[in-house]
Amino acid sequence: MKSHTIAVTMGDAAGIGPEIIAKAFREEPEVLRACFVAGDVQAMRRAAQQVAVGQAQLPVFQISTPEEALLAPPRCIPVLQIGDALAPVAMGQVQACAGEFAGRCVTWAADAALKGEIAALVTAPIHKEALSAAGKPYDNYPGHTELLQARAAVARNVSIAEMPMRMMLANEALRTVLVSIHVSLREALDAVTFDNVLETIRITRMALRDVLGREPRIAVAGLNPHAGEGGLFGREEIETISPAIAAARAEGAEVHGPIAPDTVFMRARHADDHPGEFDVVVAMYHDQGLIPVKYMGVEQGVNVTLGLPLVRTSPDHGTAFDIAGRGLASAESLIEAVRMAKRLANLT
């Protein structure tokens, strides 16, 4: 039987994750219906208190299975305790215990999604330094995406190389998918290969075709200024990116490029009075693709993992240690991530 619940992993307890989750349940209870927190009961009670701000504190309702979230009383925060309770943590500081617990929650939610026990997962921010400080096995992964990829590979009994995935960042105006994710710029340049670019186009096409119900219009950004200017500023467009685009077109993809990276995002941007030319931009590396989306507003951005046999979204921001525990963080991006997860999981 298909699950109709969504797990929201708590993120790093020393960051803003718990409080934006508590805010989301307070501000948009209908959007958060059928959602529950995979996390720590006491940490969520503390977060509920932090965001009450003179209002009645939302109660935390402990559940023992995901499906119990559907039976939770209204105006409460259902929480599934993941393993042993987390000792209280100092807000805004890197702590190995918080990193370990955050990794534990993501691992549990990934495995539950892969087994069909939940319909999707939405991940609140983790701190990569805290995750690394937690030690084995979490120090092997630079972030959520790589950890989810590893769990999916284990579940399908394949190598990580056989479980390709990509990151998409999306808001109402722009979608962008990355050829490489959390690697150095030097490594990112080396990752611009025929196989990687073609695979990114394939994953993007398959994911957005399901979402849009039609063939997506895919733009591919060049790597070099002016998309290489005919080889004057680099030959990657000629020798690598264009052949990958041609191969994707031969498979039936509606793909355009390579297009100069300083104009392609403007051409793809959607506005009410000016629809974008493209549905998505494939960017060659992390900052090339994410800066344009984040510049338009971190609060509206949603991170979506493409290519894995599970639905995962997350807000487009980090742990914000500088304001953690003060009730100042906006829940808007998290709420949008829940909306996106419901659409992708066909729960709306």
Side-chain angles (χ1 to χ4, degrees):
M1 185 175 67
K2 178 183 176 181
S3 173
H4 289 81
T5 61
I6 292 178
V8 182
T9 60
M10 191 177 73
D12 193 302
I16 62 172
E19 64 190 87
I20 62 173
I21 295 171
K23 275 192 177 181
F25 275 97
R26 173 182 289 281
E27 295 173 3
E28 294 285 356
E30 187 58 29
V31 175
L32 274 289
R33 187 171 55 85
C35 295
F36 67 94
V37 183
D40 179 71
V41 170
Q42 291 304 320
M44 286 310 306
R45 284 183 176 145
R46 179 168 72 166
Q49 183 179 31
Q50 288 167 346
V51 304
V53 194
Q55 307 175 58
Q57 180 178 328
L58 283 189
V60 167
F61 181 76
Q62 186 168 357
I63 59 177
S64 55
T65 67
E67 293 305 308
E68 286 184 21
L70 301 173
L71 306 175
R75 303 292 297 173
C76 75
I77 306 172
V79 179
L80 180 66
Q81 178 70 43
I82 305 299
D84 294 336
L86 175 66
V89 299
M91 300 304 298
Q93 298 179 24
V94 173
Q95 291 148 96
C97 61
E100 187 280 329
F101 193 85
R104 188 195 314 172
C105 293
V106 174
T107 300
W108 178 90
D111 292 347
L114 290 163
K115 290 184 287 188
E117 295 173 356
I118 58 175
L121 63 150
V122 177
T123 57
I126 60 174
H127 196 285
K128 294 177 176 59
E129 188 178 345
L131 191 69
S132 178
K136 302 295 182 185
Y138 303 116
D139 57 352
N140 290 326
Y141 310 112
H144 277 118
T145 311
E146 295 82 2
L147 177 54
L148 294 169
Q149 181 188 33
R151 299 310 301 174
V154 168
R156 296 296 185 266
N157 194 30
V158 298
S159 69
I160 288 180
E162 296 174 280
M163 188 59 66
M165 52 80 200
R166 294 296 187 273
M167 175 192 290
M168 178 173 77
L169 199 64
N171 57 30
E172 291 298 319
L174 183 64
R175 300 183 185 98
T176 184
V177 179
L178 311 179
V179 170
S180 62
I181 307 177
H182 298 123
V183 297
S184 71
L185 183 55
R186 175 64 58 196
E187 292 174 286
L189 297 176
D190 293 338
V192 180
T193 65
F194 173 88
D195 289 341
N196 284 346
V197 174
L198 178 57
E199 187 171 67
T200 305
I201 296 170
R202 285 172 172 164
I203 291 172
T204 302
R205 181 189 181 200
M206 183 178 299
L208 286 189
R209 194 163 50 185
D210 291 342
V211 172
L212 299 174
R214 58 171 172 80
E215 198 66 42
R217 301 165 300 162
I218 303 171
V220 178
L223 174 67
N224 298 298
H226 300 242
E229 198 71 76
L232 292 176
F233 304 147
R235 298 191 57 82
E236 287 85 358
E237 286 77 11
I238 296 171
E239 297 174 357
T240 301
I241 301 172
S242 290
I245 291 172
R249 285 185 186 139
E251 296 173 357
E254 184 181 339
V255 57
H256 308 265
I259 301 173
D262 60 351
T263 61
V264 65
F265 300 101
M266 291 183 287
R267 291 175 60 182
R269 182 180 181 180
H270 175 82
D272 291 339
D273 60 346
H274 181 73
E277 293 181 47
F278 312 110
D279 297 303
V280 62
V281 177
V282 169
M284 292 299 110
Y285 56 93
H286 185 281
D287 285 6
Q288 184 191 60
L290 298 197
I291 288 173
V293 182
K294 293 192 175 189
Y295 182 75
M296 289 187 286
V298 173
E299 292 80 8
Q300 291 79 37
V302 176
N303 180 358
V304 184
T305 302
L306 305 182
L308 299 184
L310 53 81
V311 173
R312 178 259 175 161
T313 67
S314 72
D316 172 29
H317 56 69
T319 51
F321 275 0
D322 57 326
I323 60 169
R326 297 162 59 188
L328 301 176
S330 169
E332 189 172 347
S333 184
L334 179 71
I335 293 166
E336 290 303 315
V338 172
R339 287 195 176 104
M340 177 71 78
K342 286 189 169 184
R343 287 198 295 271
L344 294 173
N346 296 315
L347 297 182
T348 57

